[in-house]
Amino acid sequence: KIKTGKNTPDGVIIYSLYGEKRDRVVLVRQYRYAIGGYIYEFPAGLVEPNEEFHEGAVREMYEETGLKFTPLGMTDESCATVYGYAEGEISKDAQEDTEEIEVVLADREEVKRILREENVAIMCAYQLMHFLRDEESFAFLKEEL
């Protein structure tokens, strides 16, 4: 990236709403050796070679949660944040044996509790604050800047 000047994301972070009313956010609670405990995060992972970001997000969401993901938009950072909607039944069938992941479908009250009481990855915390306050969660994707 330094040599070419191109900023091609090689990972995805998935901010997804869930439910008929889209009033819950999909989180994973995962053990991280670096902090010696559990942390709440958005589902995330690496984009495979020759895979588009949206494809990587759909695959990673399924692998970590068993849910079907419909992408709406994304950022263009080194790790792309992909926004969209999840549906289906939670499953651990596609998780790797080395992953210790609990899927959490958090409504606004649970998000408030998590932010007050739990370890939360900074990017996830920032987006969860928007989830609590924004009337329409993905309105910024429609706005022209």
Side-chain angles (χ1 to χ4, degrees), residues 34-140:
I35 64 170
Y38 289 88
I39 190 166
Y40 284 82
E41 303 172 307
F42 288 126
L46 295 175
V47 175
E48 300 290 336
N50 300 316
E51 183 179 51
E52 294 295 321
F53 306 107
H54 290 94
E55 294 169 338
V58 169
R59 179 184 48 74
E60 284 292 342
M61 177 66 92
Y62 177 75
E63 286 178 4
E64 292 195 1
T65 69
L67 299 173
K68 178 185 174 194
F69 180 64
T70 304
L72 297 177
M74 66 175 217
T75 64
D76 60 355
E77 303 169 48
S78 291
C79 186
T81 302
V82 183
Y83 303 90
Y85 302 118
E87 61 186 50
E89 297 295 320
I90 293 171
S91 168
K92 294 184 175 205
D93 292 347
Q95 289 181 10
E96 294 178 17
D97 292 338
T98 58
E99 294 178 310
E100 189 173 328
I101 298 173
E102 172 191 350
V103 180
V104 177
L105 301 176
D107 62 15
R108 283 178 169 78
E109 289 305 310
E110 179 63 0
V111 166
K112 288 178 190 176
R113 186 200 68 74
I114 289 168
L115 287 171
R116 272 194 317 268
E117 302 173 10
E118 304 288 349
N119 292 324
V120 182
I122 190 67
M123 184 59 169
C124 182
Y126 176 75
Q127 294 290 356
L128 289 178
M129 288 185 273
H130 278 286
F131 175 72
L132 289 176
R133 300 288 180 222
D134 294 350
E135 300 230 355
E136 185 181 342
S137 294
F138 298 137
F140 63 90

Side-chain angles (χ1 to χ4, degrees), residues 24-37:
R24 291 182 280 170
V25 63
V26 180
L27 301 172
V28 294
R29 181 176 176 265
Q30 163 162 228
Y31 187 84
R32 294 290 188 184
Y33 290 98
I35 64 170

